[in-house]
């Protein structure tokens, strides 16, 4: 999941930076929730030995490692993020840039801003971003650069949230605990929107991929309603944004303490936002006659 900087940049970008202690908990929970979905799509797209892949907003290491296992020693994976610290730590690379070895393939880790920096050179058979563009202010430019990086016939897979489609943390709002949870989730989304997040972005992906000139565009959606990973993700997220919720007058410290205690019971049926996965293929270059 993408990072948009530490606290000195958070007011202008992503609310959840990679440098806080809770980030690792969040990456683990997101991997448990969404890696099976991501790799189901990647395998359907035919990502195989010898291919080159660009993983954008890598955050944690699980998707780069899974891609490396699929492309093997003759392929390559480039994993980029504004803050690559978690990926570097997992792969044993240096700060900012580095190369690590996944199971079967090589992973190059680069510090990179997808909306501002040129794509890594060389062209890619797969470009993938998960839960990234919803937080990027210049989403259109980021998408243009992702399409530009595809080789002819290459595949683009974007997976992003659409909080507007299902805005509740507790869809079954059956009591005061659930109402408090939904109030805090609503406040979290207010903070996201104030920093430029598009809370209805996911649903636009199929159209945007077609408008970008991709062929064979398809999409689906997934969101869990109850799982231990949802519980862990919520607790880590609230702890990470606690001070901002209080500073904005959205919740008191007592509200947050009560919510965290409610979450810890494991009896709240907590949901994520729907994650919409959309994919398409860059047309192959047709020979001139």
């Amino acid at each position: 999941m993408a990072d948009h900087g530490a606290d000195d940049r958070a007011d202008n970008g992503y609310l959840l930076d990679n440098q806080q202690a809770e980030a690792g908990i969040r990456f683990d929970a997101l991997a448990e929730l969404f890696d099976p979905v991501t790799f189901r799509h990647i395998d359907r797209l035919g990502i195989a030995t010898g291919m080159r892949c660009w993983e954008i907003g890598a955050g944690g290491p699980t998707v780069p490692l899974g891609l490396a296992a699929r492309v093997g020693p003759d392929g390559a994976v480039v994993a980029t993020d504004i803050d690559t610290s978690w990926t570097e730590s997992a792969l044993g690379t240096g700060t900012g840039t580095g190369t690590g070895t996944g199971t079967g393939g090589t992973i190059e880790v680069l510090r990179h801003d997808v909306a501002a920096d040129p794509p890594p050179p060389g062209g890619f058979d797969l470009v993938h971003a998960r839960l990234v563009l919803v937080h990027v202010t210049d989403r259109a430019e980021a998408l243009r650069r992702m399409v530009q990086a595809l080789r002819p016939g290459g595949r683009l897979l974007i997976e992003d949230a659409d909080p507007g489609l299902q805005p509740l943390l507790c869809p079954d709002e059956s009591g005061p605990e659930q109402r408090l949870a939904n109030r805090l989730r609503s406040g979290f989304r207010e903070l996201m929107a104030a920093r430029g997040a598009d809370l209805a972005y996911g649903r636009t992906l199929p159209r945007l991929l077609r408008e970008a000139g991709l062929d064979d565009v398809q999409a689906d959606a997934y969101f869990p309603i109850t799982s231990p990973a949802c519980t862990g993700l919520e607790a880590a997220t609230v702890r990470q944004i606690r001070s901002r919720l209080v500073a904005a007058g959205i919740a008191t410290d007592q509200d947050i303490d009560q919510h965290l205690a409610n979450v810890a019971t494991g009896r709240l049926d907590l949901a994520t936002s729907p994650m919409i996965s959309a994919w398409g293929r860059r047309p192959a270059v047709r020979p001139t006659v």
Side-chain angles (χ1 to χ4, degrees):
M1 188 173 188
D3 163 75
H4 287 259
D7 286 347
D8 60 340
R9 291 177 290 165
D11 286 334
N12 297 314
Y14 191 34
L15 197 62
L16 299 163
D17 67 77
N18 287 3
Q19 297 185 12
Q20 293 175 275
E22 294 84 358
I25 299 172
R26 296 187 72 257
F27 288 145
D28 289 344
L30 290 167
E32 182 175 341
L33 290 168
F34 297 122
D35 276 7
V37 177
T38 293
F39 285 112
R40 173 168 58 84
H41 290 119
I42 286 171
D43 290 338
R44 285 178 58 187
L45 293 176
I47 304 309
T49 301
M51 291 186 171
R52 297 189 78 242
C53 302
W54 179 18
E55 174 64 18
I56 299 168
T62 59
V63 174
L65 286 170
L67 289 172
R70 285 159 173 79
V71 303
D74 294 328
V77 176
V78 179
T80 65
D81 204 332
I82 288 180
D83 179 352
T84 57
S85 54
W86 287 95
T87 307
E88 290 164 359
S89 176
L91 298 174
T93 70
T95 301
T97 62
T99 302
T101 302
T103 303
T106 298
I107 303 171
E108 182 181 9
V109 181
L110 300 175
R111 188 171 294 159
H112 180 274
D113 184 340
V114 66
D117 299 328
F124 296 94
D125 301 291
L126 172 71
V127 175
H128 173 248
R130 185 174 76 190
L131 303 176
V132 173
L133 293 187
V134 67
H135 301 286
V136 174
T137 302
D138 196 350
R139 285 171 284 274
E141 179 60 22
L143 179 60
R144 187 189 71 79
R145 293 172 189 239
M146 293 163 72
V147 172
Q148 176 188 352
L150 290 171
R151 291 173 169 173
R155 307 285 184 147
L156 176 63
L157 171 61
I158 302 179
E159 303 180 292
D160 235 316
D162 195 313
L165 280 177
Q166 196 292 104
L168 301 177
L169 178 61
C170 294
D172 179 20
E173 195 178 74
S174 56
E177 297 90 347
Q178 290 80 9
R179 288 191 288 273
L180 174 60
N182 287 339
R183 177 163 67 85
L184 293 184
R185 177 55 58 91
S186 177
F188 173 40
R189 287 172 178 161
E190 289 176 16
L191 295 177
M192 290 174 59
R195 286 159 175 79
D198 183 350
L199 303 185
Y201 185 67
R203 73 193 73 177
T204 70
L205 288 173
R207 171 174 55 83
L208 294 177
L209 266 57
R210 286 195 301 272
E211 290 176 351
L214 299 186
D215 291 341
D216 304 328
V217 172
Q218 299 182 55
D220 62 17
Y222 169 78
F223 75 100
I225 294 177
T226 303
S227 84
C230 288
T231 300
L233 179 63
E234 173 63 11
T237 299
V238 169
R239 290 190 177 100
Q240 198 163 357
I241 64 168
R242 177 180 190 132
S243 63
R244 297 188 182 278
L245 290 170
V246 173
I250 291 167
T252 65
D253 279 313
Q254 290 77 16
D255 291 333
I256 294 171
D257 287 340
Q258 183 61 61
H259 175 58
L260 289 172
N262 294 339
V263 169
T265 68
R267 295 195 297 267
L268 298 183
D269 293 321
L270 303 179
T272 68
S273 300
M275 185 179 77
I276 296 178
S277 302
W279 57 95
R281 177 179 54 83
R282 181 174 179 174
V285 176
R286 293 180 175 85
T288 58
V289 177

